[in-house]
Amino acid sequence: MSHVAHVPTAYRIVEDQQLRADLVFDKSTLNNYRTRVVWLSPNDWTNAGGFRYGNVTFAFPWESIIEGRNCYWVESMAYGVEACRILVTNNDWSKVLEPYDPAKDDGPWRLDADGSHFWNGTYCLEVMVEDDVSLDMSTGVGFVGHHPKRCSIDPKNCFYLGKREREAGAEFLATLVSR
């Protein structure tokens, strides 16, 4: 499970020692509740031209993200690839959202009887964690290529469009060392 960010944002994450939950701002149902989340995903966009979220990945063990928390089905967004959203939270959203049980529900995230987690790769799974996520939980930092045309922030003016993992990694590490 990972969070992908542009280099300046990734540097801020390291400074803060956490991924800070921020308001859901798109057409999500949760937008109506001023919900603050951190976005995570198991998806790998390398073979689709690159990631539209940036070049720096922060990896987290899935079990530590969900441990002791409630999971709810939020919605499915009709993008080019269907984006399924699951909320992971300490709060009770059962009056608003349907609880999600990966052992029973036939969705983008499945849990086998032996405790193994599986993702249905035909969907874009977006996990919304309703909390800050500490870098102490991270299992590593990596670098990925940014998509040459698509960007989640500003597809017309993004400096990182098409930037390969080596270039972005070098910039990120140089920024950390220089400060």
Side-chain angles (χ1 to χ4, degrees):
M1 190 60 58
S2 66
H3 177 85
V4 180
H6 287 80
V7 172
T9 304
Y11 177 72
R12 193 207 70 228
I13 290 168
V14 171
E15 267 187 337
D16 294 346
Q17 289 295 296
Q18 64 184 344
L19 284 78
R20 292 188 187 274
D22 206 355
L23 286 173
V24 175
F25 59 86
D26 64 5
K27 295 177 182 175
S28 174
T29 303
L30 295 182
N31 191 359
N32 300 326
Y33 298 94
R34 300 200 39 83
T35 309
R36 301 178 71 83
V37 301
V38 167
W39 297 85
L40 300 175
S41 179
N43 298 88
D44 183 342
W45 298 104
T46 304
N47 294 328
F51 289 71
R52 57 187 219 95
Y53 309 104
N55 294 98
V56 184
T57 66
F58 295 91
F60 297 91
W62 180 235
E63 290 78 8
S64 67
I65 296 295
I66 61 171
E67 186 177 3
R69 293 186 171 158
N70 304 312
C71 298
Y72 296 93
W73 176 261
V74 178
E75 63 211 343
S76 179
M77 302 296 277
Y79 297 128
V81 175
E82 189 174 357
C84 301
R85 293 178 171 171
I86 295 173
L87 178 68
V88 176
T89 179
N90 292 319
N91 299 315
D92 180 0
W93 281 81
S94 60
K95 289 187 169 102
V96 177
L97 301 172
E98 185 74 29
Y100 187 85
D101 183 349
K104 296 177 184 172
D105 293 335
D106 186 25
W109 161 37
R110 298 279 303 144
L111 178 64
D112 270 0
D114 69 356
S116 299
H117 296 272
F118 294 95
W119 317 111
N120 183 339
T122 60
Y123 299 99
C124 170
L125 178 57
E126 298 178 338
V127 175
M128 307 162 87
V129 180
E130 190 181 24
D131 201 359
D132 294 336
V133 177
S134 172
L135 281 188
D136 290 343
M137 294 171 53
S138 178
T139 56
V141 176
F143 306 105
V144 294
H146 192 303
H147 195 281
K149 295 180 181 167
R150 296 188 178 122
C151 178
S152 62
I153 296 175
D154 186 358
K156 292 182 181 168
N157 300 306
C158 179
F159 174 77
Y160 295 94
L161 285 176
K163 191 165 279 218
R164 300 292 54 175
E165 48 271 37
R166 284 185 177 208
E167 296 172 81
E171 179 184 336
F172 178 71
L173 294 174
T175 302
L176 287 178
V177 170
S178 70
R179 297 191 180 173

